[in-house]
Amino acid sequence: MAETLSSLQDLKAATAGQQPDAPVHVQKLDKLGRAYATGKRKDAVARVWIKPGTGKIVVNGRAEEVYFARPVLRMILRQPLEIANRSTQYDVFIGVAGGGLSGQAGAVRHGLSKALTYFEPELRPVLKREGFLTRDSRVVERKKYGKKKARRSFQFSKR
């Protein structure tokens, strides 16, 4: 039978021995030895696979330098690898669709961070501290009826 607790002291005494355990993160690999994760940013969705290798990054079948021509986008993409000091230890294969290049780079960063934590769970605190595991949920606001854009009204004219 369940015992009834009449005060906060009874509740403390009942839960004193039970400390909630932190979730245990284990390595998640597929049968080919790769870690897979999905990253999202704005309307972009990136599917990321990592496996041990030489540091090669392939985006939609093309080299990273060809697909993301701007250095800032390549820097955003490589941030999780740089923070974790794993720049030349993994080959990264990415399929990304939707949105623009900036959103795609953010989606790849999110997916790559998640894939790194699946491959090496001990990297999770480092990447979480930098905010790479949090999905940036900002999206474009929808257009409202009676408005030119989401908030912009039509130009007023008295005559």
Side-chain angles (χ1 to χ4, degrees):
M1 272 246 173
E3 55 188 69
T4 56
L5 303 174
S6 58
S7 68
L8 289 176
Q9 280 73 25
D10 293 342
L11 179 63
K12 273 187 188 174
T15 60
Q18 304 168 356
Q19 202 55 279
D21 293 332
V24 178
H25 298 285
V26 295
Q27 190 179 39
K28 297 178 188 170
L29 301 178
D30 63 4
K31 60 187 169 218
L32 300 175
R34 303 174 302 183
Y36 167 79
T38 303
K40 295 182 180 183
R41 169 82 172 93
K42 294 186 178 179
D43 276 341
V45 179
R47 303 181 315 157
V48 181
W49 289 268
I50 64 170
K51 68 176 187 175
T54 59
K56 179 177 66 167
I57 298 178
V58 178
V59 183
N60 288 350
R62 292 186 266 171
E64 161 202 25
E65 294 81 19
V66 175
Y67 193 85
F68 291 113
R70 296 199 323 236
V72 173
L73 298 178
R74 289 197 303 268
M75 180 205 67
I76 289 171
L77 179 138
R78 289 184 162 274
Q79 279 178 333
L81 294 170
E82 300 291 334
I83 293 291
N85 293 325
R86 303 287 193 276
S87 298
T88 59
Q89 293 183 12
Y90 294 110
D91 287 342
V92 183
F93 300 96
I94 303 160
V96 64
L101 286 177
S102 177
Q104 288 183 353
V108 169
R109 181 177 81 170
H110 183 229
L112 182 56
S113 302
K114 283 172 58 176
L116 278 172
T117 60
Y118 293 155
F119 206 93
E120 290 186 62
E122 60 272 8
L123 292 178
R124 185 174 171 81
V126 176
L127 295 171
K128 191 163 178 65
R129 191 177 325 116
E130 296 295 324
F132 295 156
L133 296 177
T134 305
R135 188 224 195 275
D136 190 353
S137 60
R138 296 176 295 170
V139 293
V140 178
E141 189 175 353
R142 78 171 191 89
K143 182 194 176 301
K144 277 68 163 199
Y145 61 89
K147 298 280 187 178
K148 194 173 180 80
K149 292 174 27 179
R151 299 186 182 202
R152 168 98 165 89
S153 297
F154 293 103
Q155 183 171 346
F156 174 76
S157 174
K158 195 166 189 178
R159 292 183 192 91

